[in-house]
Amino acid sequence: MVGKKSGKALLREEGLERTDNNMDLTSWPQVNMINQKNYYTEYLKRDEQILALRLLQEDKTNRMVNNAKDRDRELAQGVPGELPPADVEMDMDEDAGMDDIAAGSEEQDASGNRIIVIHPGSQNLRVGLASDALPKSVPMVIARKWRCNEAEAGDGEPLPKRLKTDDGGLEEPEKLFGQDFANQYSTMSADLKIHMRLNKRRVLPNSKELVVNYNKRTPPETISEHNDPLRIDWTEIPQDPKKAPDFYTGDEALRIPDNSSPSYRLFWPLKHGWYNEDDYNSKTLLYEDIAIIIEEAIKRQLHLERKKDWNQYDCVFVIPDLYERQYVTQVLEMLIREFNFNRVCFIQESLAATFGAGYATTCVIDIGAQKTTICCVEEGMCVDNSRINIKYGGWDITDTFTRMMLFDHFPYADINLKRRYDFLLAEELKKNFCTMNESDISVQLFDFHLRASGQDTRKYAFKTYDEVLLAPQGLFQPSIFDTAYKLQGRRKLIGPSLDLYDGSPNDPVSSAQSAVVQAINPQPRPNGLEAVANGDSIGNGNTASTPSRQLLNPFQRFNEPEHTPSALGSPAPEGDGTPAPPADAIINNTVNTLESSIRDDILPIMPLDAAVLTSITHGARGDERKTRDFLGSIMVIGGGSLIRGLPQFLEDRLKQMRPGSIKDILVSSSPRELDAQGVSWKGASVFGKLRGTNDSWIGQMEYDRLGSRLLAYKCYFKILEINSANPQTASENTPDGPPASPPWDVGTPSTASSETVTEFTIDRRVDYTAKATAEDTAEASTNPSTNASTEATTEGIMANQAGRQERVIHQDYIVRQRYNNDLPPPPGDPKLLEIPTDMLSYYCSPAFTSRLARQQPLNIEADAFLGMPIDLVGMPGIFDGDESSIQAPLVPPPVHPRDKALLVPMSQRGKPKTETNTVSFLRRTQYTADDAGRTRVESNTSRNLVNQTIKKRKPADVSKDNPVNIMRNIVKGFDIAYPEDAYKGPDTEQNIRGAVPSPAEIEAWKNPKHPTKPHLKLLDSYPILPNLDGLTDSSGYMVTKFAVDPSHATDHHDERMDVGLLHPIDLAPEVSAHLEAQRLAYEADPEHNPPPGPPPYNYEFFLPKDEQTAKAIKKEFDVANPDKKPDSEQEAFRYEHVRVYETGLQSSNATDPYQEVALSLTDSDRNQATAAFYYPILQKMQLKARRNKNLAKLGLASKAAEDEGEKIDAVDLIVRDPNEDEQLRRTSHKAELDHGLQVEDEARSGKVEADADN
């Protein structure tokens, strides 16, 4: 029986069987079907999924592991006392490697020596290492080969630009800059006079006429170049144009002669805080110039010549508060790609200024060269809505000061600020003469020197009156500034940063800056925003009303296809998606977008005082406490703030505008004696050295993968933000007219601070949604203190959520703030206590103190001796006229060593100042410290006390103060100068061998440099030697100074003075006895008696009869004169009596003749070598003509007349060679200086003694 075949068997027989070889049909990844009932995603929802954050976590973990390994290694070696507790994580410097840390933190380099801090500006670049105390300042300019210089470029018109007449000549100085400038200048001058009269200051009616008349008729004085001690070293250009460099940067560029061959033109890549697109035709060349200037500054100022070593350095770059996104991304590309820095981080200027000044809450005013920025900083963060950038600064003051001086007939009428030397001259005049103090305003005479290449120096004298104050006053009246050219070339090469999706501008905008632009060019509100704008509760203090109709939302299209998924895996809610932010946020973003579209066409200009109040108003957002804090801590920095009296002037203007806040307003300059120009740089250096800023560093590997997107996770500032307030709170417009009040009218703050703040959930993707949870609404309703103020706002939010579709706010570039809090959470909810602080002003008021003085009598008992009972009985000699017992001794007794601490001045008392890198206000919950400044709070339990060990203090190196070591270093200096004479024998106490010089010391001797002026060149050097042939019998000289020239020669030097004779007159017996008594008293008791001092001789002065006789006397004193006559043939030279002189001031160095010496530079000749010979000074005295009037006061007039009866009328001088005794005395003095003559001197002395015995 044949069985039934299966289906597989039939298919096998028919050849249709399917065989499976376990191979997939395709290699493309197959995606399984998702669960339609419950689906979610965790994409970019955790920190581990983001590269930048994951690397930070891995780095922290690696440090903890390495610390644990090092601790175990040290414990195995048996030195547990040197280690920190195991539960504390060591905070290591990122610049040091693990091997260096294991070797010991004492031997590491100073913190910050591997961090380069760069702060570019429109006029100056400041660069330096974070370990430096001050930055290196370099002009932000580059000079390139060009067909003409900058003064000849364009139309060739000078700057400031002058008006011309119809025939091509210049107008009169009063009409040189137009009628508008003349009217404004005259008005400001008249207002100043009125203000000075109100302040009871003297005002001359013809001050201007005095200035103009003097400047008209004063010609310059010409000084030849070789007579100018301060002549300028101009940049030397090679004579061959082919060998001339393609560019110069910094000071070298400014010192290039204007008529150089080849010609060079100056380019300033940054201008008015923007890219200088007007002077460039290619943005590639613009970026290249910025890179070249920074690169050359690092190489020359920091001496980092090899660019390949820069990958071992980190960089902190300071950017403006209101920056452009393309500027930040381009700089980041330059620092990482071109400069190859290891890591890079950014910090805003105002935030850096607070780090440098040590302020937690302040309003920073940075007056730069071509822009002024204002920003409020609170607790280490810039308040974004308070940022203002207005386009005037120190350069505008220089330009206006030049125009005002030319208006008053400035004698140097050809000044042209396009020329390099004129630009430097104008900056110097502004720095030296401009002031804001009214007390300095008067008709003053000044002078300056004009130094140009290839020309003699010209000295100009000119007078000024009020232009020294009116020019800087343009900060408060900017209409006097010339701003017509500042928008030329704007956006010619580099367009604004636009959004990738809707094309809207993407650069940061603040509501304060929008108010400035709105004040210049008022714009009506867009249709559809009127209802919400008029009902804004923040702007006018009223409750927010529900919109009457649907608002247009430009971001609605992003949310139409799907709803926002749940993050916890639960099904998505039914109905609308995630609710949008309230209407205020939509209005804020829309207004900012509208303002961004037109801000490139409007130059933001506003008076400085008004701009400050506008910034504080938008930064405080109606909070009275914040307003008081900002007004009470205004800090003025920048180069423009160096004008004398500017902070006080600004403070007075603010008090006039805010009379209700007079007690709160305080304006100050940079604290701690810091240079106002380097405060931001100093703060950036502190920021770079902080251990808590590791999150802001951008590494090369991260940048290679993510590019500029890293800024969203690494920076502490926001590029585009969502605000829950209307930016027009301070400048609310009416529907049909201009603003009801000026945008800087900051009167009574609104009540917006009590409203519910809407929470925004920030996603790292493209869409950012806003939500107002029901828990917040319930919390507000249960709190009775805030229920009334938040009820309307909560109803408005709920109505908006129920009445409109989901709205999504799109943001492409936002910063994710990360706060690290290592402390445990508090056990309970925080409790705010209201502590009154206004009682101190009451207790200090005059009313309270006056009443207290009337009610409380003084408890002072006055006795007959007025509190100082003096008993004269018992004091020796007091009744005999000797008051020495009650007088202080002439020579005070020496202070006991234990009492010296009491004489330390107040400024030096207290703990020594130590520079720490900690900043307490970096984050609200972040504690930062370094190894030197870290403190730990521990309990005083027995376990902790046992674990604490006393670290042994490293003994001080006393070898440096050893006299033998000091002598070795002194000998080392002579060995470097004269290596052939260096002692190479054994090192003993008698023959000390010099220390081994280092290669750097040898190189410093070969190529010496001036310690403070490195640009000076060494022309020649002289060895300092004693002139053995010039020693006298007394081994020294006397320096005599006449009060009046005895020769009465005014036009030339009288050679008779070189060979004059002084004959001392014997002292009177009374004077000799008095000096002898003083000498005996001093020898008996030197502590209570002063030394007698040199005798006060009178001298008779004699001069030869003419200069020919003086020349003949000089020849006889010249030992190298071949025509010198022998002693027997010498003739007598006649000296005539001039007058009698008496001694004025005199001092004696007889005990130490080498305490003060005279130097004489001598070039080599046949008798002497090239050297600087020094001569010991035994005595210095000043002689003045003796007058009978002075003698009469001393009662010596009759005696002097008797002495003058025997006055010498003439003296005959005969020159001879020194005798043997005089030569012996001179030889003994030489032997004291030259030991080679000591043996000969001893032999000669022995011979003299032998002759005496015979």
Side-chain angles (χ1 to χ4, degrees):
M1 179 179 178
V2 180
K4 182 179 180 181
K5 295 182 179 181
S6 63
K8 291 184 178 181
L10 295 176
L11 293 176
R12 187 184 307 112
E13 292 178 355
E14 296 177 359
L16 299 177
E17 181 184 10
R18 179 179 179 181
T19 58
D20 190 1
N21 54 3
N22 294 326
M23 295 181 62
D24 296 333
L25 298 178
T26 177
S27 61
W28 191 263
Q30 300 181 17
V31 181
N32 298 326
M33 298 291 292
I34 63 175
N35 186 0
Q36 295 292 336
K37 296 182 179 180
N38 186 6
Y39 64 92
Y40 68 97
T41 178
E42 294 185 353
Y43 178 65
L44 294 183
K45 293 296 181 63
R46 299 179 181 177
D47 290 349
E48 293 80 5
Q49 297 173 347
I50 300 174
L51 176 63
L53 306 180
R54 184 170 67 251
L55 291 178
L56 292 176
Q57 185 64 27
E58 292 177 356
D59 184 60
K60 182 177 180 180
T61 304
N62 293 336
R63 287 203 305 268
M64 295 176 61
V65 172
N66 292 330
N67 293 340
K69 290 181 180 179
D70 293 341
R71 182 176 180 83
D72 295 341
R73 187 184 304 108
E74 298 294 342
L75 289 175
Q77 296 177 359
V79 284
E82 300 290 338
L83 299 172
D87 57 345
V88 178
E89 178 189 355
M90 292 182 62
D91 199 357
M92 300 179 299
D93 192 355
E94 293 292 335
D95 299 334
M98 293 305 301
D99 297 335
D100 298 334
I101 295 170
S105 59
E106 292 84 358
E107 301 178 359
Q108 293 182 7
D109 295 336
S111 176
N113 58 354
R114 292 286 181 178
I115 301 176
I116 298 176
V117 183
I118 303 174
H119 181 197
S122 299
Q123 187 165 319
N124 292 300
L125 167 69
R126 292 172 179 87
V127 63
L129 298 176
S131 57
D132 295 340
L134 296 174
K136 308 294 190 303
S137 184
V138 179
M140 190 71 181
V141 63
I142 183 173
R144 287 188 174 274
K145 284 184 180 179
W146 213 256
R147 57 184 177 271
C148 60
N149 57 34
E150 62 276 7
E152 301 171 353
D155 53 3
E157 291 290 334
L159 189 68
K161 193 172 182 180
R162 284 86 156 171
L163 296 180
K164 295 183 179 180
T165 59
D166 296 337
D167 56 356
L170 292 178
E171 288 279 4
E172 298 179 358
E174 292 80 2
K175 302 178 181 179
L176 206 56
F177 305 105
Q179 190 62 34
D180 293 341
F181 176 81
N183 294 337
Q184 292 188 53
Y185 184 26
S186 302
T187 302
M188 294 174 64
S189 181
D191 294 342
L192 177 62
K193 288 183 178 180
I194 295 174
H195 192 267
M196 292 177 64
R197 289 192 179 98
L198 293 177
N199 292 335
K200 306 301 181 181
R201 298 189 185 277
R202 182 183 179 186
V203 179
L204 296 178
N206 60 339
S207 301
K208 282 292 184 180
E209 289 77 6
L210 293 176
V211 172
V212 171
N213 294 333
Y214 182 85
N215 292 341
K216 280 182 179 180
R217 57 181 174 82
T218 304
E221 176 185 353
T222 303
I223 303 175
S224 58
E225 185 176 1
H226 63 275
N227 289 332
D228 186 6
L230 301 177
R231 56 182 179 271
I232 298 175
D233 294 333
W234 300 95
T235 304
E236 296 182 1
I237 307 296
Q239 296 181 356
D240 188 1
K242 297 181 180 179
K243 296 182 180 179
D246 293 335
F247 60 84
Y248 288 95
T249 61
D251 292 320
E252 290 185 349
L254 293 178
R255 294 302 183 187
I256 298 177
D258 289 75
N259 56 352
S260 62
S261 178
S263 297
Y264 284 84
R265 179 180 176 184
L266 298 184
F267 289 92
W268 304 81
L270 299 179
K271 207 168 187 179
H272 312 301
W274 294 324
Y275 283 126
N276 183 13
E277 304 174 57
D278 188 28
D279 295 341
Y280 288 86
N281 295 324
S282 171
K283 65 178 181 180
T284 304
L285 183 60
L286 175 61
Y287 296 153
E288 181 183 356
D289 283 355
I290 296 177
I292 290 176
I293 295 174
I294 298 177
E295 179 180 348
E296 292 296 322
I298 294 175
K299 288 181 178 180
R300 298 185 181 183
Q301 302 298 329
L302 305 184
H303 306 291
L304 300 177
E305 299 293 341
R306 299 195 304 175
K307 199 173 180 180
K308 63 180 181 180
D309 296 338
W310 291 8
N311 58 359
Q312 303 176 9
Y313 290 81
D314 302 335
C315 178
V316 179
F317 199 91
V318 184
I319 61 175
D321 301 327
L322 268 178
Y323 50 86
E324 296 180 352
R325 181 186 175 186
Q326 289 193 359
Y327 174 73
V328 178
T329 55
Q330 181 62 32
V331 168
L332 179 60
E333 175 76 13
M334 175 186 66
L335 299 178
I336 293 293
R337 299 296 189 202
E338 187 170 349
F339 292 169
N340 198 25
F341 284 129
N342 181 31
R343 297 180 304 173
V344 176
C345 72
F346 294 95
I347 184 173
Q348 292 168 290
E349 289 176 339
S350 297
L351 180 59
T354 58
F355 275 77
Y359 286 176
T361 300
T362 181
C363 177
V364 181
I365 306 173
D366 188 355
I367 305 177
Q370 299 176 3
K371 67 177 178 63
T372 299
T373 60
I374 306 171
C375 180
C376 297
V377 180
E378 182 183 15
E379 298 297 334
M381 293 294 294
C382 291
V383 181
D384 297 329
N385 280 333
S386 67
R387 295 174 294 180
I388 289 180
N389 191 321
I390 44 185
K391 301 305 179 181
Y392 56 71
W395 163 253
D396 298 274
I397 298 176
T398 303
D399 178 74
T400 305
F401 184 47
T402 305
R403 288 191 291 160
M404 289 182 176
M405 289 192 299
L406 291 174
F407 187 90
D408 294 338
H409 295 261
F410 188 55
Y412 180 38
D414 295 334
I415 186 171
N416 182 7
L417 298 184
K418 291 183 179 180
R419 289 198 293 254
R420 296 151 199 172
Y421 57 86
D422 284 347
F423 166 75
L424 298 176
L425 172 64
E427 288 289 331
E428 182 182 359
L429 294 179
K430 177 195 69 173
K431 179 180 178 181
N432 295 337
F433 304 140
C434 283
T435 180
M436 297 293 288
N437 296 326
E438 286 188 0
S439 58
D440 299 336
I441 303 304
S442 63
V443 178
Q444 302 183 56
L445 176 63
F446 300 113
D447 59 62
F448 65 91
H449 293 76
L450 176 63
R451 298 178 176 90
S453 177
Q455 303 178 19
D456 291 336
T457 302
R458 283 169 287 173
K459 181 181 178 181
Y460 287 87
F462 68 102
K463 285 187 177 181
T464 63
Y465 179 55
D466 56 0
E467 53 265 41
V468 295
L469 185 141
L470 296 181
Q473 192 176 346
L475 298 174
F476 305 90
Q477 292 179 274
S479 58
I480 196 69
F481 292 154
D482 183 12
T483 59
Y485 63 94
K486 292 189 176 182
L487 286 177
Q488 293 180 2
R490 178 67 173 155
R491 298 301 183 190
K492 182 178 71 173
L493 302 176
I494 305 171
S497 176
L498 301 178
D499 190 86
L500 297 176
Y501 297 93
D502 57 4
S504 59
N506 211 14
D507 289 328
V509 182
S510 71
S511 59
Q513 186 76 3
S514 302
V516 173
V517 177
Q518 186 75 12
I520 300 172
N521 185 19
Q523 296 290 330
R525 289 184 175 272
N527 295 330
L529 299 180
E530 294 291 343
V532 180
N534 295 333
D536 186 11
S537 62
I538 297 178
N540 49 25
N542 301 327
T543 57
S545 60
T546 305
S548 59
R549 57 189 179 88
Q550 185 70 27
L551 292 176
L552 299 177
N553 186 1
F555 305 100
Q556 182 178 355
R557 57 184 178 84
F558 291 113
N559 205 32
E560 291 178 353
E562 57 183 3
H563 301 299
T564 303
S566 174
L568 301 178
S570 58
E574 299 292 337
D576 293 341
T578 304
D584 298 342
I586 302 298
I587 294 175
N588 182 15
N589 194 35
T590 306
V591 173
N592 286 344
T593 303
L594 293 174
E595 191 273 333
S596 299
S597 61
I598 62 173
R599 62 177 178 172
D600 290 336
D601 300 330
I602 298 176
L603 187 69
I605 294 292
M606 177 180 281
L608 183 60
D609 47 358
V612 171
L613 295 181
T614 302
S615 174
I616 292 177
T617 302
H618 288 264
R621 299 177 65 88
D623 191 336
E624 295 184 3
R625 181 187 61 83
K626 290 183 179 180
T627 303
R628 289 194 303 268
D629 292 343
F630 290 144
L631 288 174
S633 59
I634 300 175
M635 179 175 60
V636 185
I637 62 173
S641 66
L642 298 179
I643 299 176
R644 297 184 299 274
L646 177 59
Q648 294 78 8
F649 190 90
L650 176 60
E651 181 175 335
D652 294 340
R653 293 292 294 257
L654 293 177
K655 289 180 180 179
Q656 294 176 9
M657 299 183 68
R658 290 290 297 263
S661 305
I662 292 180
K663 297 182 180 180
D664 300 329
I665 297 176
L666 178 62
V667 181
S668 62
S669 57
S670 57
R672 300 186 300 177
E673 299 181 358
L674 289 175
D675 185 7
Q677 302 177 81
V679 175
S680 297
W681 183 94
K682 188 64 178 178
S685 66
V686 174
F687 178 78
K689 292 185 289 186
L690 291 177
R691 305 307 196 272
T693 59
N694 294 336
D695 293 359
S696 64
W697 291 106
I698 298 176
Q700 292 189 1
M701 187 269 289
E702 302 170 274
Y703 186 77
D704 292 339
R705 296 189 181 183
L706 298 179
S708 59
R709 289 177 294 172
L710 276 171
L711 296 173
Y713 304 102
K714 292 291 186 177
C715 294
Y716 290 103
F717 47 83
K718 297 181 180 180
I719 299 263
L720 195 62
E721 61 230 327
I722 302 177
N723 300 319
S724 60
N726 188 359
Q728 302 295 332
T729 56
S731 58
E732 195 69 40
N733 288 357
T734 58
D736 300 325
S741 60
W744 49 86
D745 184 10
V746 283
T748 304
S750 61
T751 59
S753 59
S754 61
E755 295 185 356
T756 302
V757 179
T758 307
E759 178 186 358
F760 293 96
T761 301
I762 302 178
D763 193 353
R764 300 182 186 88
R765 293 174 293 176
V766 175
D767 299 336
Y768 300 91
T769 59
K771 68 177 182 179
T773 60
E775 297 176 359
D776 297 336
T777 306
E779 181 179 357
S781 62
T782 55
N783 191 352
S785 61
T786 59
N787 186 21
S789 60
T790 60
E791 179 178 0
T793 305
T794 306
E795 292 177 0
I797 294 176
M798 299 300 293
N800 290 337
Q801 294 176 359
R804 63 171 183 257
Q805 297 180 357
E806 177 189 37
R807 291 173 178 171
V808 181
I809 304 302
H810 165 67
Q811 292 181 345
D812 178 56
Y813 199 19
I814 196 168
V815 171
R816 180 181 182 273
Q817 299 292 343
R818 302 180 71 249
Y819 300 96
N820 183 18
N821 188 3
D822 298 331
L823 298 178
D829 296 335
K831 184 178 180 180
L832 301 179
L833 300 179
E834 244 183 81
I835 300 176
T837 59
D838 54 348
M839 298 303 296
L840 183 61
S841 59
Y842 169 73
Y843 289 131
C844 296
S845 61
F848 178 80
T849 55
S850 301
R851 185 173 67 255
L852 184 65
R854 290 192 301 269
Q855 295 175 357
Q856 300 291 335
L858 297 177
N859 295 326
I860 298 178
E861 297 179 359
D863 54 5
F865 298 101
L866 298 179
M868 297 183 295
I870 300 176
D871 188 7
L872 301 180
V873 179
M875 297 183 180
I878 188 65
F879 295 104
D880 298 334
D882 184 8
E883 300 180 353
S884 59
S885 58
I886 63 174
Q887 293 180 353
L890 297 177
V891 180
V895 182
H896 194 275
R898 296 183 179 179
D899 296 336
K900 290 183 178 180
L902 302 177
L903 301 179
V904 178
M906 296 296 295
S907 59
Q908 299 181 7
R909 295 185 180 181
K911 297 182 179 180
K913 295 182 179 180
T914 57
E915 183 179 359
T916 60
N917 300 330
T918 59
V919 175
S920 60
F921 51 85
L922 178 64
R923 290 288 182 270
R924 293 189 180 91
T925 57
Q926 179 69 35
Y927 296 90
T928 61
D930 57 0
D931 298 336
R934 162 170 289 189
T935 57
R936 299 178 59 237
V937 181
E938 297 180 352
S939 62
N940 294 328
T941 60
S942 59
R943 181 176 181 181
N944 288 334
L945 295 176
V946 170
N947 291 336
Q948 293 178 354
T949 58
I950 301 176
K951 295 184 179 180
K952 296 181 179 180
R953 180 176 296 178
K954 186 177 180 180
D957 187 8
V958 298
S959 62
K960 295 182 179 180
D961 299 330
N962 191 357
V964 178
N965 183 47
I966 296 175
M967 180 61 69
R968 286 195 180 97
N969 284 275
I970 294 175
V971 175
K972 178 180 66 174
F974 289 93
D975 294 344
I976 295 175
Y978 303 98
E980 64 277 0
D981 297 337
Y983 175 68
K984 303 296 182 182
D987 190 7
T988 61
E989 294 183 359
Q990 291 77 15
N991 298 322
I992 298 178
R993 187 168 55 194
V996 180
S998 62
E1001 294 173 341
I1002 298 176
E1003 181 64 23
W1005 173 258
K1006 293 181 180 180
N1007 301 312
K1009 292 183 179 180
H1010 196 278
T1012 59
K1013 300 178 181 179
H1015 63 278
L1016 297 181
K1017 297 181 181 179
L1018 177 65
L1019 299 180
D1020 200 354
S1021 61
Y1022 297 83
I1024 301 177
L1025 301 174
N1027 190 357
L1028 301 180
D1029 297 334
L1031 293 178
T1032 62
D1033 299 345
S1034 58
S1035 74
Y1037 291 83
M1038 295 176 60
V1039 177
T1040 304
K1041 180 181 180 181
F1042 292 91
V1044 180
D1045 187 4
S1047 63
H1048 303 288
T1050 58
D1051 56 345
H1052 69 284
H1053 173 66
D1054 193 347
E1055 294 189 5
R1056 298 183 301 164
M1057 294 292 296
D1058 299 338
V1059 292
L1061 292 180
L1062 284 173
H1063 176 252
I1065 302 176
D1066 294 337
L1067 296 174
E1070 297 84 358
V1071 178
S1072 300
H1074 180 68
L1075 292 176
E1076 183 65 19
Q1078 284 186 341
R1079 185 184 64 81
L1080 294 176
Y1082 174 73
E1083 293 177 355
D1085 189 4
E1087 294 185 359
H1088 297 85
N1089 297 290
Y1097 283 107
N1098 293 335
Y1099 294 90
E1100 291 181 311
F1101 187 59
F1102 301 88
L1103 287 176
K1105 59 180 181 179
D1106 52 19
E1107 295 188 9
Q1108 296 297 330
T1109 306
K1111 294 180 180 179
I1113 296 174
K1114 288 183 179 180
K1115 291 182 180 180
E1116 295 300 329
F1117 276 100
D1118 187 5
V1119 295
N1121 183 13
D1123 301 332
K1124 183 181 179 182
K1125 299 178 182 179
D1127 294 347
S1128 59
E1129 300 179 3
Q1130 287 289 344
E1131 298 178 357
F1133 299 99
R1134 175 59 58 95
Y1135 278 73
E1136 296 178 352
H1137 184 270
V1138 178
R1139 72 179 306 160
V1140 179
Y1141 288 90
E1142 63 181 5
T1143 306
L1145 301 176
Q1146 59 178 342
S1147 61
S1148 176
N1149 299 327
T1151 57
D1152 187 8
Y1154 291 95
Q1155 181 180 1
E1156 189 171 358
V1157 297
L1159 283 179
S1160 175
L1161 301 181
T1162 305
D1163 295 330
S1164 107
D1165 55 15
R1166 64 179 183 272
N1167 296 319
Q1168 291 180 333
T1170 301
F1173 293 109
Y1174 64 88
Y1175 304 90
I1177 304 300
L1178 297 179
Q1179 184 178 350
K1180 295 192 305 181
M1181 60 182 178
Q1182 182 181 6
L1183 298 182
K1184 54 184 179 180
R1186 189 179 66 173
R1187 302 183 184 275
N1188 294 333
K1189 181 175 64 176
N1190 299 335
L1191 296 174
K1193 293 181 180 178
L1194 302 176
L1196 302 176
S1198 59
K1199 298 180 181 179
E1202 295 177 0
D1203 296 340
E1204 301 223 355
E1206 300 178 357
K1207 181 182 67 172
I1208 302 174
D1209 295 327
V1211 174
D1212 290 339
L1213 175 68
I1214 300 176
V1215 181
R1216 65 171 175 82
D1217 293 332
N1219 55 30
E1220 187 175 356
D1221 294 337
E1222 294 170 346
Q1223 290 181 357
L1224 181 60
R1225 285 195 297 268
R1226 296 183 184 183
T1227 304
S1228 63
H1229 295 321
K1230 293 180 182 180
E1232 296 177 359
L1233 301 174
D1234 190 353
H1235 296 287
L1237 300 175
Q1238 187 173 3
V1239 177
E1240 181 181 355
D1241 183 35
E1242 293 175 355
R1244 184 176 300 176
S1245 299
K1247 181 179 179 180
V1248 173
E1249 293 177 0
D1251 294 340
D1253 295 339
N1254 293 334

